């Protein structure tokens, strides 16, 4: 009887020990999340930090990550269920809503809070004046996309009518814009980094202004998903937002060189000094959001920009397409 009781006690203690071991540290159970970004850009540094520093894994998430160039293409992938979460401009959720989607796309965590493009001149000016664009050929971004709208919004603030004062080119695919400028198209071009810095380094062009500084704060790039996904996977969305906020805090407290090291693996073909210069440029102009909250004032500024570009069918209330509950909980 004593031996049987002793064996039973040992078995109970063993089960208890295994249970306690399972409760400590990171859970062995992981949830897969299929994430796609609209382009590969140093502009999205906190996203790569979340991946490289293991913040998703800490939350029990296995992120299947890919790049799908073009806002229309990544949105289609999201709507068709090919991916779970998209990193893309918040304007896409408004377009989908205004097209009458039954399952709307909900913005739940902000990553960047300014436009990420720069005005690049083919020739190096002694001093830059916005009026020098008048009469020039301007190679802009895709019509209806946030870069193009923020660019035109800035031009109008500077007294330039994009349709009348410029020869405006907008029919070049997003991925081909740098190559088009390099081959001789345009006097000015609107470029993301690292292309702008690379062109400066190669003597192909010169950064003369920042559209991010000029157009003000916007929910420029956000993580979004379908409402149905949120309803079925609330805990997963919370964990995802937690990881993003950890990355945002990490970026805020670390040096430019540390951030560069953390994201470098995602830019294998880009010189390290270029990546460092770009991180420095974006950090100095506060492009990286410090928290995941999608502010209502910024949301309204976004719609002002869309209206000015003639791309907004009707305004959408902040509460209809933004769910800040995950961001608020992540920040506690």
């Amino acid at each position: 009887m004593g031996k049987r009781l002793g064996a039973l006690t040992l078995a109970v203690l063993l089960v208890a020990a295994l249970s306690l071991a399972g409760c400590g540290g990171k859970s062995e159970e992981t949830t897969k999340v299929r994430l796609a970004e609209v382009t590969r850009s140093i502009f999205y540094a906190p996203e790569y930090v979340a991946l490289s520093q293991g913040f998703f894994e800490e939350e029990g998430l296995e992120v299947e990550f890919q790049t799908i160039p073009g806002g229309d293409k990544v949105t289609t992938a999201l709507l068709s269920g090919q991916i779970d979460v998209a990193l893309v401009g918040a304007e896409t959720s408004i377009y989908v809503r205004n097209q009458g989607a039954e399952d709307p796309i909900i913005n739940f965590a902000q990553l960047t809070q300014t436009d990420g493009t720069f005005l690049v001149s083919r020739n190096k000016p002694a001093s830059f004046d916005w009026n020098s664009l008048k009469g020039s050929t301007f190679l802009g971004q895709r019509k209806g996309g946030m870069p193009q709208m923020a660019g035109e919004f800035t031009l109008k603030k500077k007294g330039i009518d994009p349709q009348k004062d410029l020869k405006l080119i907008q029919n070049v695919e997003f991925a081909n814009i740098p190559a088009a400028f390099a081959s001789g198209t345009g006097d000015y071009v609107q470029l993301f980094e690292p292309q702008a810095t690379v062109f400066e380094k190669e003597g192909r062009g010169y950064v003369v202004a920042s559209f991010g500084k000029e157009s003000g704060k916007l929910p420029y790039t956000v993580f979004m998903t379908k409402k149905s996904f949120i309803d079925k996977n609330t805990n997963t969305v919370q964990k995802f937002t937690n990881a993003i906020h950890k990355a945002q805090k990490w970026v805020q407290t670390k040096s430019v060189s540390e951030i560069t090291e953390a994201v470098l693996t995602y830019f294998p073909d880009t010189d390290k000094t270029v990546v460092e210069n770009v991180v420095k440029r974006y950090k100095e102009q506060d492009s990286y959001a410090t928290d995941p909250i999608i502010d209502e004032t910024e949301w309204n500024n976004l719609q002002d920009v869309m209206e000015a570009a003639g791309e907004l069918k009707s305004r959408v209330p902040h509460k209809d397409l933004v769910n800040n509950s995950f961001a608020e909980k992540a920040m506690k």
Side-chain angles (χ1 to χ4, degrees):
M1 180 71 177
K3 290 183 179 179
R4 288 168 58 190
L5 182 60
L8 180 61
T9 302
L10 181 62
V12 170
L13 289 172
L14 180 60
V15 170
L18 289 171
S19 298
L20 286 171
C23 292
K26 185 173 66 176
S27 170
E28 291 184 4
E29 292 185 8
T30 59
T31 302
K32 180 177 286 187
V33 176
R34 298 169 300 168
L35 166 66
E37 60 180 5
V38 68
T39 188
R40 179 60 52 88
S41 176
I42 302 165
F43 190 42
Y44 304 152
E47 175 191 38
Y48 311 127
V49 165
L51 290 161
S52 69
Q53 301 305 300
F55 294 141
F56 286 119
E57 285 87 345
E58 286 180 9
E59 294 292 330
L61 300 179
E62 178 189 343
V63 174
E64 188 178 283
F65 180 56
Q66 63 177 308
T67 304
I68 304 177
D72 53 343
K73 294 181 179 64
V74 74
T75 305
T76 298
L78 182 62
L79 291 171
S80 63
Q82 297 174 49
I83 59 174
D84 303 314
V85 176
L87 176 66
V88 67
E91 78 282 357
T92 60
S93 66
I94 296 175
Y95 290 144
V96 170
R97 163 63 182 270
N98 283 340
Q99 288 168 2
E102 293 182 5
D103 189 3
I105 294 176
I106 303 299
N107 304 281
F108 67 87
Q110 183 166 322
L111 191 76
T112 62
Q113 59 187 9
T114 73
D115 179 88
T117 60
F118 297 85
L119 178 62
V120 177
S121 171
R122 185 171 299 282
N123 301 308
K124 188 174 184 178
S127 62
F128 174 69
D129 187 317
W130 284 93
N131 285 319
S132 64
L133 271 71
K134 291 183 178 179
S136 69
T137 299
F138 184 88
L139 180 54
Q141 295 282 327
R142 178 181 62 83
K143 185 171 170 57
M146 202 60 231
Q148 174 262 330
M149 291 188 289
E152 290 196 15
F153 185 74
T154 298
L155 293 173
K156 289 173 183 176
K157 279 174 61 178
K158 300 298 181 180
I160 299 168
D161 186 327
Q163 309 304 323
K164 295 179 180 179
D165 295 334
L166 306 171
K167 181 182 177 183
L168 186 61
I169 300 174
Q170 293 179 304
N171 60 353
V172 180
E173 281 288 326
F174 175 82
N176 297 330
I177 290 173
F181 186 73
S183 67
T185 302
D187 302 308
Y188 294 91
V189 63
Q190 183 180 358
L191 289 178
F192 275 98
E193 292 284 18
Q195 288 90 354
T197 293
V198 169
F199 277 13
E200 278 192 315
K201 187 177 180 181
E202 296 174 347
R204 294 174 181 264
Y206 304 89
V207 174
V208 293
S210 164
F211 287 108
K213 286 183 179 179
E214 298 291 346
S215 58
K217 289 191 175 181
L218 305 162
Y220 196 83
T221 323
V222 301
F223 292 101
M224 58 181 68
T225 189
K226 291 188 291 186
K227 184 178 183 299
S228 59
F229 184 83
I230 291 178
D231 291 343
K232 296 175 184 176
N233 304 276
T234 302
N235 197 38
T236 298
V237 176
Q238 184 62 63
K239 290 178 177 180
F240 188 99
T241 309
N242 293 346
I244 292 302
H245 188 43
K246 287 179 183 179
Q248 290 173 326
K249 291 190 291 184
W250 193 95
V251 167
Q252 287 300 307
T253 59
K254 299 299 182 180
S255 67
V256 168
S257 61
E258 287 173 303
I259 298 168
T260 299
E261 289 293 340
V263 306
L264 199 58
T265 185
Y266 296 94
F267 302 92
D269 300 322
T270 305
D271 186 84
K272 182 179 177 180
T273 59
V274 170
V275 177
E276 199 161 38
N277 288 339
V278 174
V279 169
K280 183 174 184 291
R281 181 172 273 167
Y282 279 135
K283 197 171 186 188
E284 286 180 347
Q285 71 175 36
D286 294 325
S287 287
Y288 303 133
T290 57
D291 61 62
I293 294 286
I294 300 164
D295 182 82
E296 186 168 4
T297 300
E298 293 179 14
W299 178 262
N300 291 330
N301 189 33
L302 166 69
Q303 295 191 88
D304 290 342
V305 170
M306 295 176 72
E307 272 187 337
E311 298 291 345
L312 186 61
K313 183 179 176 181
S314 61
R315 294 181 78 93
V316 179
H318 177 265
K319 63 180 178 61
D320 288 1
L321 294 183
V322 174
N323 185 339
N324 276 330
S325 66
F326 303 103
E328 290 165 353
K329 189 172 180 180
M331 292 169 65
K332 289 181 180 178

